Amino acid sequence: LLLQVIMGGRMPVNYWLFKSEPTAYSYDHLVEDCIAEWDGVRNFQARNFLRDNIKINDLVLFYHSNTNPIAVIGTAIVIREGYPDHTAWGPDSDHPDPKSTVENPIWYMVDIKADQYFDKPVTLQAMRNNPALKDMVLLRKGMRLSIQPVTQEQFEAICDMGSV
């Protein structure tokens, strides 16, 4: 399966993997919500991706972590580039950071929408067993980053694995 999306005259050039615990926010939530703010990221490297690198029409692998099975469930499309994460500003927020302010935001988010629900989840073990994915960031020992770049080849391989 080769996903090609033409929106706003630009072909996607960046591919990403976004991790989420399904008890916090699942792919089903994204489908139900139609559009989601990808907020609450509190890691500087992931923040930099959100702020500087992730662009409109980039494609995302939606990865359910800390569940059984741990797996990529589907794909999403970025529909809004990085902007300040306002959830850091509210003391009653799930992700407050008193050091982040409207005048000096520290954290950023993007908006995504659901694209394709996989016919079958692509488990972490299945990815480990696929030689085409041997260099994938996700599969590196100790890799816990919630937002990671993937190559177009890795993205397409996982999409192929998720289709029947």
Side-chain angles (χ1 to χ4, degrees):
L1 170 71
L2 174 61
L3 290 179
Q4 290 188 340
V5 179
I6 301 175
M7 298 175 131
R10 172 172 109 75
M11 291 292 293
V13 294
N14 295 316
Y15 300 85
W16 305 94
L17 181 138
F18 285 17
K19 289 183 182 179
S20 183
E21 294 183 13
T23 55
Y25 195 80
S26 69
Y27 196 81
D28 286 334
H29 289 124
L30 178 59
V31 169
E32 183 179 308
D33 293 343
C34 296
I35 295 173
E37 297 173 336
W38 202 260
D39 61 19
V41 173
R42 299 296 181 262
N43 170 284
F44 285 103
Q45 187 175 359
R47 183 272 322 258
N48 293 347
F49 288 143
L50 290 166
R51 185 189 64 197
D52 303 331
N53 303 107
I54 299 173
K55 304 297 180 192
I56 292 172
N57 296 336
D58 283 357
L59 297 177
V60 174
L61 296 169
F62 198 108
Y63 181 84
H64 279 178
S65 63
N66 198 25
T67 190
N68 190 13
I70 296 172
V72 176
I73 301 300
T75 62
I77 300 172
V78 176
I79 61 166
R80 184 174 177 192
E81 293 181 13
Y83 61 101
D85 183 346
H86 58 81
T87 67
W89 305 332
D92 297 329
S93 163
D94 290 339
H95 317 287
D97 182 349
K99 294 179 183 172
S100 183
T101 64
V102 174
E103 299 79 23
N104 186 25
I106 296 173
W107 306 109
Y108 283 74
M109 60 185 172
V110 299
D111 292 353
I112 62 172
K113 70 176 182 176
D115 181 37
Q116 180 183 12
Y117 214 127
F118 285 169
D119 296 326
K120 60 183 177 188
V122 180
T123 66
L124 181 60
Q125 190 57 52
M127 288 184 271
R128 289 190 191 287
N129 293 340
N130 185 334
L133 303 176
K134 67 179 175 53
D135 295 326
M136 193 169 174
V137 172
L138 177 70
L139 303 181
R140 293 181 188 157
K141 194 167 190 77
M143 179 47 65
R144 297 181 41 88
L145 199 57
S146 65
I147 294 177
Q148 305 171 9
V150 298
T151 66
Q152 180 177 351
E153 295 75 20
Q154 292 164 347
F155 184 91
E156 291 173 358
I158 290 171
C159 289
D160 286 344
M161 293 168 72
S163 65
V164 174

